[in-house]
Coordinates of all heavy atoms in Angstrom, one line a residue:
M1085 N 41.6 12.2 13.1 CA 40.1 11.6 13.2 C 40.1 10.2 12.7 O 39.0 9.6 12.9 CB 39.2 12.5 12.5 CG 39.0 13.9 13.3 SD 38.2 13.5 14.9 CE 36.4 13.3 14.5
N1086 N 41.1 9.8 12.0 CA 40.9 8.3 11.4 C 40.7 7.3 12.3 O 40.0 6.5 12.1 CB 42.2 8.1 10.4 CG 42.0 8.8 9.1 OD1 41.0 9.3 8.8 ND2 43.2 9.0 8.4
W1087 N 41.4 7.5 13.5 CA 41.3 6.3 14.3 C 39.8 6.3 15.0 O 39.3 5.3 15.3 CB 42.3 6.5 15.5 CG 42.0 7.8 16.3 CD1 42.8 9.0 16.0 CD2 41.4 8.0 17.5 NE1 42.3 10.0 17.0 CE2 41.5 9.4 17.8 CE3 40.5 7.1 18.2 CZ2 40.8 9.8 18.9 CZ3 39.9 7.7 19.3 CH2 40.1 9.0 19.6
L1088 N 39.3 7.5 15.1 CA 37.9 7.5 15.7 C 36.8 6.9 14.7 O 36.1 6.1 15.0 CB 37.5 9.0 16.0 CG 36.1 9.2 16.6 CD1 36.1 8.5 18.0 CD2 35.9 10.7 16.9
T1089 N 36.9 7.4 13.4 CA 36.0 6.9 12.5 C 36.2 5.4 12.3 O 35.2 4.7 12.0 CB 36.2 7.7 11.1 OG1 37.5 7.6 10.7 CG2 35.7 9.1 11.2
H1090 N 37.5 5.0 12.4 CA 37.7 3.6 12.2 C 36.9 2.8 13.4 O 36.3 1.7 13.2 CB 39.2 3.2 12.3 CG 39.5 1.8 12.0 ND1 39.4 1.2 10.8 CD2 39.8 0.9 12.9 CE1 39.7 -0.1 11.0 NE2 40.0 -0.3 12.2
I1091 N 37.1 3.4 14.6 CA 36.4 2.6 15.7 C 34.9 2.5 15.6 O 34.2 1.6 15.7 CB 36.8 3.2 17.0 CG1 38.4 3.0 17.3 CG2 36.0 2.7 18.2 CD1 38.8 3.8 18.4
I1092 N 34.3 3.7 15.1 CA 32.9 3.8 14.9 C 32.4 2.9 13.7 O 31.3 2.4 13.7 CB 32.4 5.2 14.6 CG1 32.8 6.1 16.0 CG2 30.9 5.3 14.4 CD1 32.5 7.5 15.7
G1093 N 33.3 2.8 12.8 CA 33.0 2.0 11.6 C 32.6 2.8 10.4 O 32.1 2.3 9.4
L1094 N 32.8 4.1 10.5 CA 32.4 4.9 9.4 C 33.2 4.8 8.1 O 32.9 5.2 7.1 CB 32.4 6.5 9.8 CG 31.4 6.8 10.8 CD1 31.4 8.3 11.2 CD2 29.9 6.4 10.2
D1095 N 34.5 4.3 8.4 CA 35.4 4.1 7.3 C 35.2 2.7 6.6 O 36.0 2.3 5.8 CB 36.9 4.4 7.6 CG 37.5 3.4 8.7 OD1 36.5 2.7 9.3 OD2 38.6 3.2 8.9
N1096 N 34.3 2.1 7.1 CA 33.9 0.9 6.4 C 32.6 0.8 5.8 O 31.5 0.7 6.4 CB 33.9 -0.3 7.6 CG 33.6 -1.6 7.0 OD1 33.3 -1.9 6.0 ND2 33.7 -2.6 8.0
P1097 N 32.6 1.1 4.5 CA 31.4 1.4 3.8 C 30.4 0.4 3.9 O 29.2 0.6 4.0 CB 31.9 1.5 2.2 CG 33.3 1.9 2.3 CD 33.8 1.2 3.7
S1098 N 30.8 -1.0 3.9 CA 29.9 -2.0 4.0 C 29.2 -2.1 5.3 O 27.9 -2.1 5.3 CB 30.5 -3.4 3.6 OG 31.5 -3.6 4.7
G1099 N 30.0 -1.8 6.4 CA 29.2 -1.8 7.6 C 28.3 -0.6 7.7 O 27.2 -0.8 8.3
Y1100 N 28.8 0.6 7.3 CA 28.0 1.8 7.5 C 26.7 1.6 6.8 O 25.5 1.8 7.1 CB 28.7 3.0 6.8 CG 28.0 4.2 7.0 CD1 27.8 4.9 8.2 CD2 27.3 4.8 5.8 CE1 27.1 6.1 8.2 CE2 26.7 5.9 5.9 CZ 26.5 6.6 7.1 OH 25.8 7.8 7.1
W1101 N 26.8 1.1 5.5 CA 25.6 0.9 4.6 C 24.7 -0.2 5.2 O 23.4 -0.1 5.0 CB 25.9 0.8 3.2 CG 26.4 2.0 2.6 CD1 27.6 2.3 2.3 CD2 25.6 3.1 2.3 NE1 27.6 3.6 1.7 CE2 26.4 4.2 1.6 CE3 24.3 3.5 2.3 CZ2 26.0 5.4 1.3 CZ3 23.8 4.8 2.0 CH2 24.7 5.6 1.5
Y1102 N 25.4 -1.2 5.7 CA 24.5 -2.3 6.3 C 23.6 -1.7 7.4 O 22.5 -1.9 7.4 CB 25.4 -3.3 6.9 CG 24.5 -4.4 7.6 CD1 23.7 -5.3 6.9 CD2 24.6 -4.5 9.0 CE1 23.1 -6.2 7.7 CE2 23.8 -5.4 9.7 CZ 23.1 -6.2 9.0 OH 22.4 -7.2 9.6
L1103 N 24.2 -0.8 8.3 CA 23.5 -0.2 9.4 C 22.3 0.7 8.8 O 21.2 0.6 9.3 CB 24.4 0.5 10.4 CG 25.3 -0.3 11.2 CD1 26.2 0.7 12.0 CD2 24.6 -1.1 12.2
F1104 N 22.6 1.4 7.8 CA 21.7 2.4 7.2 C 20.6 1.6 6.6 O 19.4 1.9 6.9 CB 22.3 3.1 6.1 CG 21.4 4.1 5.4 CD1 21.0 5.3 6.0 CD2 21.1 3.8 4.2 CE1 20.2 6.1 5.4 CE2 20.1 4.7 3.5 CZ 19.8 5.8 4.2
W1105 N 20.9 0.6 5.8 CA 19.8 -0.2 5.1 C 19.0 -1.1 6.0 O 17.8 -1.3 5.9 CB 20.3 -1.0 4.0 CG 20.6 -0.2 2.8 CD1 21.9 0.1 2.3 CD2 19.8 0.6 2.0 NE1 21.8 1.0 1.2 CE2 20.5 1.3 1.0 CE3 18.3 0.7 1.9 CZ2 19.9 2.0 0.0 CZ3 17.8 1.5 1.0 CH2 18.6 2.2 0.0
S1106 N 19.6 -1.6 7.0 CA 18.9 -2.5 8.0 C 18.0 -1.7 8.9 O 16.9 -2.2 9.1 CB 19.9 -3.1 8.9 OG 20.6 -2.2 9.8
G1107 N 18.3 -0.4 9.1 CA 17.4 0.5 9.9 C 16.2 0.8 8.9 O 15.1 0.7 9.4
L1108 N 16.6 1.2 7.7 CA 15.6 1.6 6.8 C 14.7 0.5 6.3 O 13.5 0.6 6.1 CB 16.2 2.3 5.6 CG 15.3 3.0 4.5 CD1 14.8 4.3 5.2 CD2 16.2 3.5 3.4
G1109 N 15.4 -0.6 6.2 CA 14.6 -1.8 5.7 C 13.5 -2.2 6.6 O 12.5 -2.7 6.2
S1110 N 13.7 -2.1 7.9 CA 12.7 -2.5 8.9 C 11.5 -1.6 8.7 O 10.3 -2.0 8.8 CB 13.2 -2.4 10.3 OG 13.6 -1.1 10.6
D1111 N 11.8 -0.3 8.5 CA 10.6 0.7 8.3 C 9.9 0.2 7.0 O 8.7 0.3 6.9 CB 11.1 2.1 8.1 CG 11.6 2.6 9.5 OD1 11.1 1.9 10.5 OD2 12.3 3.6 9.6
I1112 N 10.7 0.0 6.0 CA 10.0 -0.4 4.7 C 9.1 -1.6 4.8 O 8.1 -1.8 4.3 CB 11.1 -0.6 3.6 CG1 11.7 0.7 3.2 CG2 10.5 -1.3 2.4 CD1 12.8 0.6 2.2
T1113 N 9.6 -2.7 5.6 CA 8.8 -3.8 5.8 C 7.4 -3.4 6.6 O 6.4 -3.9 6.1 CB 9.6 -4.7 6.8 OG1 10.8 -5.2 6.2 CG2 8.7 -6.0 7.0
E1114 N 7.6 -2.4 7.5 CA 6.2 -2.2 8.2 C 5.3 -1.5 7.2 O 4.1 -1.8 7.1 CB 6.7 -1.1 9.4 CG 7.2 -1.8 10.4 CD 7.8 -0.9 11.5 OE1 7.5 0.3 11.3 OE2 8.7 -1.2 12.3
F1115 N 5.8 -0.5 6.4 CA 5.1 0.2 5.4 C 4.5 -0.9 4.3 O 3.4 -0.8 3.8 CB 5.8 1.2 4.5 CG 5.9 2.4 5.3 CD1 7.3 3.0 5.6 CD2 4.8 3.1 5.8 CE1 7.4 4.1 6.4 CE2 5.0 4.3 6.5 CZ 6.2 4.8 6.8
A1116 N 5.4 -1.9 4.0 CA 4.9 -2.9 3.1 C 3.7 -3.7 3.6 O 2.7 -4.0 2.9 CB 6.0 -3.8 2.7
V1117 N 3.7 -4.0 4.9 CA 2.6 -4.7 5.6 C 1.3 -3.9 5.5 O 0.3 -4.4 5.1 CB 3.0 -5.1 7.0 CG1 1.8 -5.7 7.6 CG2 4.1 -6.2 6.9
I1118 N 1.5 -2.6 5.9 CA 0.3 -1.7 5.9 C -0.1 -1.5 4.4 O -1.3 -1.6 4.2 CB 0.7 -0.4 6.5 CG1 1.0 -0.6 8.0 CG2 -0.4 0.6 6.3 CD1 1.6 0.7 8.6
G1119 N 0.8 -1.3 3.5 CA 0.5 -1.1 2.1 C -0.3 -2.3 1.5 O -1.2 -2.2 0.7
A1120 N 0.2 -3.5 2.0 CA -0.3 -4.8 1.4 C -1.8 -4.8 2.0 O -2.7 -5.3 1.2 CB 0.4 -5.9 1.9
L1121 N -2.1 -4.6 3.2 CA -3.4 -4.7 3.7 C -4.4 -3.7 2.9 O -5.4 -4.0 2.6 CB -3.3 -4.3 5.3 CG -2.9 -5.3 6.2 CD1 -2.6 -4.8 7.6 CD2 -3.8 -6.5 6.1
L1122 N -3.8 -2.4 2.8 CA -4.6 -1.4 2.1 C -4.8 -1.8 0.6 O -5.9 -1.7 0.1 CB -3.9 0.0 2.1 CG -4.0 0.7 3.3 CD1 -3.1 2.0 3.3 CD2 -5.4 1.1 3.8
G1123 N -3.7 -2.6 -0.1 CA -3.9 -2.9 -1.3 C -5.0 -4.1 -1.4 O -5.8 -4.0 -2.3
V1124 N -5.0 -4.9 -0.4 CA -6.1 -6.0 -0.4 C -7.4 -5.3 -0.2 O -8.4 -5.6 -1.0 CB -5.8 -7.0 0.7 CG1 -7.1 -7.8 1.0 CG2 -4.7 -7.8 0.5
L1125 N -7.5 -4.4 0.6 CA -8.9 -3.7 0.9 C -9.4 -3.0 -0.4 O -10.5 -3.1 -0.9 CB -8.8 -2.7 2.0 CG -9.1 -3.2 3.3 CD1 -8.7 -2.1 4.3 CD2 -10.4 -3.8 3.5
R1126 N -8.3 -2.3 -1.2 CA -8.6 -1.4 -2.4 C -9.0 -2.5 -3.3 O -9.8 -2.1 -4.3 CB -7.4 -0.7 -2.8 CG -7.4 0.6 -2.1 CD -6.3 1.4 -2.8 NE -6.3 2.8 -2.2 CZ -5.4 3.8 -2.5 NH1 -4.4 3.5 -3.2 NH2 -5.6 4.9 -2.0
K1127 N -8.4 -3.7 -3.5 CA -8.7 -4.6 -4.5 C -10.0 -5.1 -4.4 O -10.7 -5.4 -5.4 CB -7.6 -5.8 -4.6 CG -7.8 -6.7 -5.6 CD -6.5 -7.7 -5.6 CE -6.7 -8.6 -6.9 NZ -5.6 -9.7 -6.8
Y1128 N -10.5 -5.4 -3.2 CA -11.8 -6.1 -3.0 C -12.8 -5.2 -2.6 O -14.1 -5.6 -2.6 CB -11.5 -7.1 -1.9 CG -10.7 -8.3 -2.4 CD1 -9.4 -8.4 -1.8 CD2 -11.2 -9.2 -3.3 CE1 -8.5 -9.4 -2.4 CE2 -10.4 -10.2 -3.7 CZ -9.1 -10.4 -3.2 OH -8.3 -11.3 -3.7
N1129 N -12.6 -4.0 -2.2 CA -13.8 -3.1 -1.8 C -14.4 -2.6 -3.1 O -14.0 -2.6 -4.3 CB -13.4 -2.0 -0.9 CG -12.7 -0.8 -1.7 OD1 -12.0 -1.0 -2.6 ND2 -13.1 0.4 -1.3
C1130 N -15.6 -2.0 -2.9 CA -16.5 -1.5 -3.8 C -15.7 -0.5 -4.6 O -15.0 0.3 -4.0 CB -17.8 -0.8 -3.2 SG -18.9 0.0 -4.4
H1131 N -15.9 -0.3 -5.9 CA -15.1 0.7 -6.8 C -15.6 2.0 -6.6 O -15.0 3.0 -7.0 CB -15.3 0.1 -8.3 CG -14.2 0.7 -9.1 ND1 -13.1 -0.2 -9.5 CD2 -13.9 1.9 -9.7 CE1 -12.1 0.6 -10.2 NE2 -12.7 1.8 -10.3
I1132 N -16.8 2.2 -6.2 CA -17.4 3.6 -5.8 C -16.5 4.3 -4.8 O -16.2 3.7 -3.7 CB -18.8 3.5 -5.4 CG1 -19.7 2.7 -6.4 CG2 -19.4 5.0 -5.1 CD1 -19.7 3.3 -7.7
H1133 N -15.9 5.5 -5.1 CA -15.2 6.3 -4.2 C -15.8 6.5 -2.8 O -17.0 6.9 -2.8 CB -14.8 7.6 -4.9 CG -13.9 8.4 -4.1 ND1 -12.6 8.0 -3.9 CD2 -14.0 9.5 -3.2 CE1 -11.9 8.8 -3.1 NE2 -12.7 9.8 -2.7
G1134 N -15.1 6.1 -1.8 CA -15.7 6.3 -0.4 C -16.5 5.2 0.0 O -17.0 5.2 1.2
C1135 N -16.7 4.2 -0.8 CA -17.5 3.1 -0.3 C -16.5 1.9 0.0 O -15.8 1.4 -0.8 CB -18.5 2.7 -1.4 SG -19.5 1.2 -1.0
W1136 N -16.6 1.5 1.2 CA -15.7 0.4 1.7 C -16.4 -1.0 1.8 O -15.9 -1.9 2.5 CB -15.0 0.9 3.1 CG -14.0 1.9 2.8 CD1 -14.2 3.2 2.9 CD2 -12.7 1.7 2.5 NE1 -13.0 3.9 2.5 CE2 -12.1 3.0 2.3 CE3 -11.9 0.5 2.2 CZ2 -10.7 3.2 1.9 CZ3 -10.5 0.8 1.8 CH2 -10.0 2.1 1.6
R1137 N -17.6 -1.0 1.3 CA -18.1 -2.5 1.4 C -17.4 -3.3 0.4 O -16.7 -2.9 -0.5 CB -19.6 -2.3 0.8 CG -20.6 -1.6 1.7 CD -21.9 -1.5 1.1 NE -22.7 -0.8 1.9 CZ -23.0 0.5 1.9 NH1 -22.2 1.2 1.0 NH2 -23.8 1.3 2.6
I1138 N -17.4 -4.6 0.6 CA -16.7 -5.6 -0.2 C -17.5 -5.6 -1.5 O -18.6 -5.9 -1.5 CB -16.6 -7.0 0.5 CG1 -15.9 -6.9 1.7 CG2 -16.0 -8.0 -0.6 CD1 -14.4 -6.4 1.6
G1139 N -16.7 -5.5 -2.7 CA -17.3 -5.4 -3.9 C -17.3 -6.8 -4.5 O -16.3 -7.3 -4.7
R1140 N -18.4 -7.3 -4.8 CA -18.5 -8.8 -5.4 C -19.3 -8.8 -6.7 O -19.5 -9.9 -7.1 CB -18.9 -9.7 -4.4 CG -18.1 -9.8 -3.2 CD -18.6 -11.0 -2.3 NE -19.9 -10.9 -1.9 CZ -20.6 -11.9 -1.4 NH1 -20.1 -13.1 -1.2 NH2 -21.9 -11.6 -1.0
H1141 N -19.6 -7.6 -7.2 CA -20.5 -7.6 -8.3 C -19.9 -6.8 -9.5 O -19.9 -5.6 -9.5 CB -21.8 -7.0 -7.9 CG -22.5 -7.7 -6.8 ND1 -23.4 -8.8 -7.0 CD2 -22.4 -7.6 -5.5 CE1 -23.7 -9.2 -5.7 NE2 -23.2 -8.5 -4.9
P1142 N -19.3 -7.6 -10.5 CA -18.8 -6.9 -11.7 C -19.9 -6.2 -12.5 O -21.0 -6.7 -12.7 CB -18.1 -7.9 -12.4 CG -18.8 -9.2 -11.9 CD -19.2 -9.0 -10.6
V1143 N -19.5 -4.8 -12.8 CA -20.5 -4.2 -13.8 C -20.2 -4.5 -15.2 O -19.1 -4.6 -15.6 CB -20.3 -2.8 -13.5 CG1 -21.3 -1.9 -14.5 CG2 -20.6 -2.4 -12.1
A1144 N -21.2 -4.8 -15.9 CA -21.2 -5.3 -17.3 C -20.4 -4.3 -18.1 O -20.6 -3.1 -18.0 CB -22.5 -5.6 -17.8
D1145 N -19.5 -4.8 -18.9 CA -18.8 -3.9 -19.9 C -17.9 -2.9 -19.4 O -17.4 -2.0 -19.9 CB -19.8 -3.2 -20.9 CG -20.6 -4.1 -21.6 OD1 -20.1 -5.2 -22.0 OD2 -21.8 -3.7 -22.0
T1146 N -17.5 -3.1 -18.0 CA -16.6 -2.3 -17.3 C -15.6 -3.1 -16.5 O -15.8 -4.4 -16.4 CB -17.1 -1.2 -16.4 OG1 -17.7 -1.9 -15.3 CG2 -18.3 -0.5 -17.0
T1147 N -14.6 -2.5 -15.9 CA -13.7 -3.2 -15.0 C -14.1 -3.1 -13.5 O -13.4 -3.5 -12.5 CB -12.2 -2.8 -15.1 OG1 -12.1 -1.4 -14.9 CG2 -11.8 -3.2 -16.5
Y1148 N -15.2 -2.3 -13.3 CA -15.7 -1.9 -12.0 C -16.1 -3.2 -11.2 O -16.9 -4.0 -11.8 CB -16.9 -1.0 -12.0 CG -16.4 0.4 -12.5 CD1 -17.1 1.1 -13.5 CD2 -15.2 1.0 -12.2 CE1 -16.8 2.3 -13.9 CE2 -14.7 2.2 -12.8 CZ -15.5 2.9 -13.7 OH -15.1 4.1 -14.0
I1149 N -15.8 -3.3 -10.0 CA -16.3 -4.3 -9.1 C -17.0 -3.5 -8.1 O -16.3 -2.9 -7.2 CB -15.3 -5.3 -8.6 CG1 -14.5 -5.9 -9.7 CG2 -15.9 -6.3 -7.8 CD1 -15.2 -6.9 -10.5
V1150 N -18.3 -3.7 -7.9 CA -19.0 -2.8 -6.9 C -19.8 -3.7 -5.9 O -20.0 -4.9 -6.2 CB -20.0 -1.9 -7.5 CG1 -19.2 -0.9 -8.5 CG2 -21.0 -2.6 -8.3
C1151 N -20.2 -3.1 -4.8 CA -21.0 -3.8 -3.9 C -22.4 -3.8 -4.4 O -22.8 -3.2 -5.4 CB -21.0 -3.0 -2.5 SG -21.8 -1.4 -2.6
R1152 N -23.3 -4.6 -3.7 CA -24.6 -4.8 -4.2 C -25.5 -3.4 -4.2 O -26.3 -3.2 -5.1 CB -25.3 -5.8 -3.2 CG -26.6 -6.4 -3.8 CD -27.0 -7.6 -2.9 NE -27.4 -7.3 -1.6 CZ -28.6 -7.7 -1.0 NH1 -29.4 -8.5 -1.7 NH2 -28.8 -7.3 0.1
K1153 N -25.1 -2.6 -3.2 CA -25.8 -1.3 -3.2 C -25.6 -0.5 -4.5 O -26.4 0.2 -5.0 CB -25.4 -0.6 -1.9 CG -26.2 0.8 -1.8 CD -25.7 1.6 -0.7 CE -26.3 2.9 -0.5 NZ -25.6 3.9 0.3
H1154 N -24.3 -0.5 -5.0 CA -23.9 0.3 -6.1 C -24.1 -0.4 -7.4 O -23.8 0.3 -8.4 CB -22.5 0.8 -5.9 CG -22.4 1.9 -4.7 ND1 -21.5 1.8 -3.7 CD2 -23.0 3.0 -4.6 CE1 -21.7 2.8 -2.8 NE2 -22.6 3.6 -3.5
H1155 N -24.4 -1.6 -7.3 CA -24.6 -2.2 -8.6 C -25.7 -1.7 -9.5 O -26.7 -1.4 -8.9 CB -24.8 -3.8 -8.4 CG -24.5 -4.5 -9.8 ND1 -25.5 -4.8 -10.6 CD2 -23.4 -5.1 -10.2 CE1 -25.0 -5.5 -11.7 NE2 -23.7 -5.7 -11.5
P1156 N -25.5 -1.4 -10.8 CA -26.6 -0.8 -11.6 C -27.8 -1.7 -11.6 O -28.9 -1.2 -11.8 CB -25.9 -0.7 -13.0 CG -24.8 -1.6 -13.0 CD -24.2 -1.7 -11.4
D1157 N -27.7 -3.0 -11.4 CA -29.0 -3.8 -11.3 C -29.6 -3.6 -10.0 O -30.7 -4.2 -9.9 CB -28.6 -5.2 -11.6 CG -28.2 -5.4 -13.1 OD1 -28.5 -4.5 -14.0 OD2 -27.6 -6.5 -13.4
G1158 N -28.9 -3.0 -9.0 CA -29.5 -2.8 -7.7 C -30.3 -1.5 -7.7 O -31.0 -1.1 -8.6
A1159 N -30.0 -0.7 -6.5 CA -30.8 0.4 -6.3 C -30.2 1.8 -7.2 O -31.0 2.7 -7.3 CB -30.8 0.8 -4.8
V1160 N -29.0 1.6 -7.6 CA -28.3 2.7 -8.2 C -28.3 2.6 -9.8 O -28.1 1.5 -10.3 CB -26.9 2.9 -7.7 CG1 -26.2 4.1 -8.4 CG2 -26.9 3.2 -6.2
K1161 N -28.5 3.6 -10.5 CA -28.7 3.5 -12.0 C -27.2 3.5 -12.5 O -26.3 4.0 -11.8 CB -29.3 4.7 -12.5 CG -30.8 4.7 -12.2 CD -31.5 5.9 -12.8 CE -32.9 6.2 -12.4 NZ -32.9 7.0 -11.1
V1162 N -26.9 3.1 -13.7 CA -25.7 3.0 -14.4 C -25.2 4.4 -14.5 O -24.0 4.7 -14.3 CB -25.8 2.4 -15.8 CG1 -24.4 2.4 -16.5 CG2 -26.2 1.0 -15.6
S1163 N -25.9 5.4 -14.7 CA -25.6 6.9 -14.9 C -25.0 7.4 -13.7 O -24.3 8.4 -13.8 CB -26.7 7.6 -15.4 OG -27.8 7.6 -14.6
D1164 N -25.2 6.8 -12.5 CA -24.6 7.3 -11.3 C -23.2 6.9 -11.2 O -22.5 7.3 -10.2 CB -25.5 6.9 -10.1 CG -26.9 7.5 -10.1 OD1 -26.9 8.7 -10.7 OD2 -27.8 7.0 -9.7
L1165 N -22.8 5.9 -12.0 CA -21.4 5.4 -11.6 C -20.4 6.4 -12.2 O -20.7 7.1 -13.2 CB -21.2 4.1 -12.4 CG -21.9 2.9 -12.0 CD1 -21.8 1.7 -12.8 CD2 -21.4 2.6 -10.6
P1166 N -19.2 6.5 -11.6 CA -18.2 7.5 -12.0 C -17.7 7.2 -13.4 O -17.7 6.0 -13.8 CB -17.1 7.4 -11.0 CG -17.3 6.0 -10.4 CD -18.8 5.7 -10.5
Ligands
ZN1994 ZN1 -20.5 0.4 -3.0

């Protein structure tokens, strides 16, 4: 079988792993792009769970960035924040 694996390239670790990683790497790149987009959304959207409005209003004394609707100075009380 050695002649066959040699022709396919299976006895060449660098070639085999290059094919493996190049195929896997392209998938990782796609996931990375999607993940980056989600990360950007998560970073900028309202901190309230399930709210996808862009959060631009930091809540005092917390790290929360919420949208205008969820800001304690707006329509929602501080006690309603998670
Ligand atoms: Zn919100």
Side-chain angles (χ1 to χ4, degrees):
M1085 284 298 283
N1086 280 342
W1087 62 271
L1088 182 61
T1089 56
H1090 181 75
I1091 291 173
I1092 297 173
L1094 292 181
D1095 63 346
N1096 182 348
S1098 63
Y1100 179 78
W1101 286 107
Y1102 172 76
L1103 288 174
F1104 178 75
W1105 283 113
S1106 65
L1108 190 66
S1110 64
D1111 287 342
I1112 288 175
T1113 303
E1114 291 168 13
F1115 281 121
V1117 170
I1118 295 171
L1121 286 174
L1122 286 176
V1124 167
L1125 276 174
R1126 276 190 170 172
K1127 185 174 182 181
Y1128 290 106
N1129 82 319
C1130 175
H1131 205 99
I1132 303 297
H1133 183 72
C1135 178
W1136 286 94
R1137 292 179 185 86
I1138 300 299
R1140 293 194 303 168
H1141 303 271
V1143 180
D1145 300 326
T1146 73
T1147 57
Y1148 295 137
I1149 308 291
V1150 298
C1151 68
R1152 195 163 69 131
K1153 181 189 173 189
H1154 287 124
H1155 194 271
D1157 291 341
V1160 177
K1161 300 186 187 81
V1162 176
S1163 58
D1164 291 331
L1165 290 172

